[in-house]
Amino acid sequence: MSHALTALSAALPLASGWAVHGLRMHRRYENARRDPLSNLWTRDAFEEQATRLLARRPHVAVVLVDLDGFKAVNDTHGHAAGDAVIRATGASFTDALTCHLGSVAGRIGGDEFAAAVALPDPAALPWLLGGLHGEITAPLHHDGHDLMVGASIGAALSGDAPEGPARELSALLRRADERMYRIKQEGGGCSIAPAPGSAPALRTVNGRREGRPGTTSGTGAAA
C-alpha cells in the first residue's frame, strides 16, 4: 500500500503539470484563431463555429457587414485611426450579440465582418440589425477627432437544408453578401434576404422595416 501511495504522490505533480501545459496550449490555440484588432474570430474559426451553430439551432441569421468610408478614415487620419475603428466595430458586435447565447462573430476581411446569430424568434432580426447598425455607425472619439463610418449589412435566415449545415452556411453567406452589396449601392443600411420564392427583401434601418423591391440576385462582394 505504501508503494502505491508513494507512486501516486509522485505522479500527481506530473499530471498537474501536464494539465497546466494543456490549458496553456489551448489558450494559445484559441488566441491564434482570434483577430488581434477586433478580438473576433478569424474567418476559418468563424465558419467552423457557425457551421456547428447551424447544425444545432433551427433559426440562425447569417449577417455580413461591410464598413462604408473606412478607407477615407485611414487616408485622412492615419492607420492608427483605422485600427481604432476596427476595434470599435469588434466591440459593437460583442455588445449587440451579448443577449444571443451561442452566437459567433468574425472579422473575415480588412473591413468586412460576419456573424451567425441564434434567434428564438426570427421576427427579432430587423431590430437586431438596426441595433448593430447603430452601434457601428456611432461617432468614435479618437486622438481629438470624431471618426465616423457607415455600414452596409446584409442578412439571411437559415431554413431546412437537406444538404447539411456546411453547404447551408455557404448559401446563407452568398445570399447575405448579395443583400449587403445591394444595400451598399443604395447608400448603406440593412437588408434581409427573402427565402427563395417568397416576398421581396426588406430594407431595415434602426429597427424599422421598409419594403424594398428586389430579388436575391447580386454581383458579388461589396467594394
Side-chain angles (χ1 to χ4, degrees):
M1 179 65 71
S2 60
H3 291 297
L5 290 174
T6 301
L8 180 60
S9 298
L12 284 175
L14 181 62
S16 177
W18 275 110
V20 171
H21 175 72
L23 181 60
R24 288 176 178 169
M25 292 299 293
H26 177 73
R27 286 176 178 170
R28 288 179 184 175
Y29 175 71
E30 290 295 295
N31 289 338
R33 288 155 57 86
R34 291 275 185 182
D35 171 63
L37 274 181
S38 66
N39 199 37
L40 302 179
W41 296 110
T42 60
R43 186 183 191 111
D44 287 347
F46 164 75
E47 291 182 352
E48 176 186 311
Q49 295 190 53
T51 297
R52 288 203 296 262
L53 183 64
L54 284 161
R56 295 195 307 262
R57 303 293 290 272
H59 303 298
V60 177
V62 172
V63 180
L64 287 181
V65 177
D66 187 71
L67 300 183
D68 301 327
F70 178 73
K71 185 177 184 299
V73 170
N74 266 330
D75 292 346
T76 303
H77 301 288
H79 289 290
D83 289 350
V85 169
I86 296 298
R87 283 192 291 269
T89 302
S92 295
F93 271 90
T94 300
D95 290 344
L97 302 184
T98 296
C99 297
H100 299 274
L101 298 179
S103 300
V104 294
R107 183 185 179 197
I108 60 174
D111 60 348
E112 294 185 64
F113 302 82
V117 187
L119 295 173
D121 182 358
L125 180 56
W127 285 267
L128 169 68
L129 299 183
L132 179 61
H133 187 273
E135 288 250 10
I136 293 173
T137 58
L140 171 65
H141 191 73
H142 172 78
D143 197 23
H145 301 281
D146 284 331
L147 309 178
M148 295 188 67
V149 293
S152 297
I153 304 178
L157 275 165
S158 67
D160 294 330
E163 62 270 25
R167 190 171 299 178
E168 183 185 11
L169 175 62
S170 177
L172 289 168
L173 285 169
R174 183 177 65 253
R175 289 171 55 212
D177 181 73
E178 290 166 354
R179 297 320 306 172
M180 182 182 73
Y181 179 82
R182 284 176 173 267
I183 203 70
K184 191 177 187 73
Q185 299 303 105
E186 296 178 8
C190 314
S191 182
I192 302 172
S198 67
L202 294 174
R203 183 175 187 270
T204 305
V205 179
N206 295 331
R208 300 192 311 274
R209 295 191 292 180
E210 304 173 3
R212 179 73 68 179
T215 66
T216 57
S217 63
T219 58

